[in-house]
Amino acid sequence: MAGVAERVRAIGCAFRLCVLSRARALVPQAGGDGEPMDSFDERRRGFEAKFVADQDMMFRITARRNRLVAQWAAERMKLTPAETDAYAKAVVQADFEEAGDEDVIRKLLGDLTAAGIDADEAEIRRALDEQMVEARRQLLESR
């Protein structure tokens, strides 16, 4: 599991570096020849910088949500704290397989079923929705 954790950390770091470098490039600045920037360009760059910041926040919220829902599933499977931590990292990693939540749902449903826990897709989707609210709350409070 150490390899998975390192890959998740590396992907997260690379994403943040990309977002930050893109955001820096979008910060309105005076032209090199001293001419002020056009107000339309300033607005466009401001909107682009906000979009980048919003995408970064959504990435963080989704990763936190996946961690929280993994902890919910691990509790149902009666995993130890160490197993829960490793499982949460595996669920976060599973989200990088394809766009959307289907990869996470598939993993959670498969793992719960394999552990003999009666669960269905609707229950997992409800847990994802509930944990999304909690993840957003946690990240907004930590700002």
Side-chain angles (χ1 to χ4, degrees):
M1 278 306 195
V4 171
E6 290 172 9
R7 287 186 10 222
V8 168
R9 199 172 305 115
I11 290 170
C13 289
F15 179 80
R16 281 193 284 285
L17 284 174
C18 177
V19 167
L20 290 174
S21 65
R22 176 90 171 120
R24 284 189 196 112
L26 297 175
V27 173
Q29 299 174 357
D33 56 356
E35 290 184 31
M37 293 195 70
D38 187 46
S39 66
F40 179 77
D41 287 340
E42 290 175 9
R43 263 185 74 157
R44 180 182 54 81
R45 287 198 173 126
F47 281 122
E48 288 175 351
K50 179 165 179 8
F51 176 79
V52 168
D54 289 348
Q55 290 300 305
D56 180 54
M57 180 56 81
M58 196 61 208
F59 173 80
R60 290 170 187 250
I61 289 171
T62 302
R64 176 77 56 101
R65 179 217 50 194
N66 290 343
R67 185 167 195 66
L68 291 171
V69 81
Q71 290 170 346
W72 166 82
E75 183 179 309
R76 293 192 66 197
M77 292 186 284
K78 298 183 181 6
L79 299 180
T80 67
E83 291 170 330
T84 298
D85 189 49
Y87 184 68
K89 290 175 184 172
V91 171
V92 170
Q93 179 67 33
D95 194 28
F96 295 118
E97 291 175 12
E98 62 186 52
D101 294 333
E102 298 308 312
D103 44 1
V104 173
I105 292 169
R106 203 171 30 252
K107 174 157 184 57
L108 290 167
L109 187 58
D111 293 344
L112 287 167
T113 303
I117 307 296
D118 187 31
D120 62 2
E121 187 176 327
E123 180 181 14
I124 292 172
R125 287 186 185 279
R126 271 193 308 277
L128 284 169
D129 291 342
E130 291 168 5
Q131 298 306 331
M132 180 66 90
V133 172
E134 178 61 19
R136 181 174 280 120
R137 185 192 64 74
Q138 287 179 8
L139 283 172
L140 292 177
E141 283 181 358
S142 69
R143 282 182 139 189

